[in-house]
Amino acid sequence: MSLFQRIADLQGDRPWGAMLDAGTGRNSMRWLLSLETERWTAVTGAASMARQVETELGTRTRDADRLVVGNWTDPDLLAGERYDTVLADYLLGAIEGFAPYWQDRLFERLHGLVAPGGRLYVVGLEPYVPQLPDTLDAAGSLVTRIGRLRDACLLLAGDRPYREYPAPWTLRQIERAGFRVLHAEQVPIRFGTRFVDGQLDMCTRVLERLDDRALAASLQTHVDALRMHAHMHIAEHGGLRHGHDYVIAAEPI
C-alpha cells in the first residue's frame, strides 16, 4: 500500500475540500490530481521543481488552482488563506535546503493555514544516514552507505543535504504547534533500483563541479562500486529492506 493510499484511508469519507500541497513534487501532484478537491495550491521552494510539476500538470488545472514558488519563512506566503486539507509530503526533510535551522517552526507556520476542523497530513522519513553501517545487516549497510556517500558528495560540491527527523521529534513539534495528533504509524521501506540510481546519479552530477578532479574520480569509482553491489543485492533479495517512513494525521486544536 502506498503512503498516499494510507492518507486516503485515514481521510475516509471526509471531503478533501480546498487542499494545500505544502512541499509539492511530481509524485504528490500526481496523487493530488486524482482527488476530488474544490481547489488546490501547491508550493515549492525551487523553480526547477515548479517546472517539473508544470510538466506533470499539463492542462489539468482549474481557474482556482495555483502553483506557487516560495519559501515558508516568508510571512506573506499564502497569508490569510485557509485550507481544509494540508499535505506536508517529505517537506520537513527538504526544509534544510531552503531554510536551514528553521525546521522547528514549520508546523507552527502551517497551523494557521489549516481551517477549523481541517486536517494536516505529514509524511516523513526516519533518519538513516547517522546509523553505523557496520552494525547493520547487508541491506541496511548498503542503504546507509549510499546515503552517506550522497551527502558527502553534496557537501563537497557546496550543496546542503536533506536533514530528516525521527517521528517522536516530529510528533512533539506538531503538538507544540497547536495540533492534536489523531494517528501516527511507521511504514517499512523496501528500496529498489530507482532509489539506488537516483541517489548515486545525484553524486555523479555534483562531482562534475569539484575542482579536485583526482578526488572526483576516486569518489566516482566508489559510486560505481556501490551501485553494482546494491543492484546485485536487489536482484537476489528483491529490494533493500531497511528503515521506515511515517505518516501522521493531526487537526488544529
Side-chain angles (χ1 to χ4, degrees):
M1 178 185 296
S2 73
L3 299 176
F4 291 136
Q5 182 57 53
R6 189 69 193 105
I7 292 173
D9 291 344
L10 292 169
Q11 183 76 355
D13 295 331
R14 294 169 55 92
W16 297 99
M19 188 163 181
L20 170 63
D21 183 356
T24 195
R26 296 191 71 165
N27 289 335
S28 62
M29 178 53 69
R30 190 177 300 120
W31 178 64
L32 190 155
L33 290 172
S34 73
L35 304 177
E36 294 184 4
T37 60
E38 295 176 5
R39 60 181 175 87
W40 54 257
T41 299
V43 176
T44 177
S48 58
M49 179 57 70
R51 290 191 292 270
Q52 293 183 41
V53 172
E54 286 173 345
T55 299
E56 186 67 38
L57 282 170
T59 59
R60 294 177 291 174
T61 57
R62 300 161 295 190
D63 290 343
D65 298 334
R66 291 182 296 163
L67 175 60
V68 179
V69 177
N71 193 310
W72 286 115
T73 61
D74 177 4
D76 293 328
L77 179 62
L78 307 190
E81 299 189 21
R82 295 291 183 273
Y83 295 87
D84 302 297
T85 311
V86 175
L87 172 67
D89 179 41
Y90 297 115
L91 174 60
L92 182 61
I95 285 288
E96 183 72 11
F98 305 95
Y101 313 114
W102 196 79
Q103 290 88 340
D104 62 325
R105 302 288 303 279
L106 175 62
F107 299 112
E108 174 188 337
R109 180 68 172 84
L110 295 179
H111 183 275
L113 296 167
V114 184
R119 285 278 179 91
L120 169 70
Y121 292 107
V122 177
V123 176
L125 173 64
E126 291 287 352
Y128 62 87
V129 171
Q131 296 174 323
L132 298 175
D134 292 343
T135 67
L136 305 171
D137 62 15
S141 177
L142 283 166
V143 169
T144 303
R145 287 162 58 198
I146 288 170
R148 288 183 166 206
L149 179 57
R150 174 204 61 211
D151 287 0
C153 292
L154 288 169
L155 288 167
L156 286 168
D159 293 338
R160 283 185 176 272
Y162 282 6
R163 183 189 296 269
E164 306 295 348
Y165 287 79
W169 186 95
T170 305
L171 288 165
R172 289 196 301 271
Q173 298 302 319
I174 289 173
E175 290 175 336
R176 287 172 181 171
F179 288 96
R180 177 185 297 108
V181 174
L182 303 173
H183 179 86
E185 67 177 288
Q186 290 189 323
V187 181
I189 301 173
R190 183 177 65 179
F191 294 105
T193 55
R194 181 179 177 183
F195 164 80
V196 172
D197 292 338
Q199 305 308 301
L200 295 180
D201 287 349
M202 189 185 308
C203 291
T204 297
R205 287 194 299 272
V206 300
L207 287 176
E208 295 176 359
R209 309 204 314 254
L210 265 61
D211 293 331
D212 188 334
R213 299 315 302 161
L215 175 59
S218 178
L219 286 168
Q220 185 60 54
T221 298
H222 188 27
V223 167
D224 295 339
L226 193 52
R227 188 193 305 268
M228 180 186 68
H229 291 148
H231 277 229
M232 290 174 60
H233 185 99
I234 291 169
E236 182 176 354
H237 299 281
L240 297 168
R241 292 176 173 83
H242 181 72
H244 295 82
D245 291 307
Y246 54 84
V247 177
I248 299 170
E251 63 182 8
I253 298 174

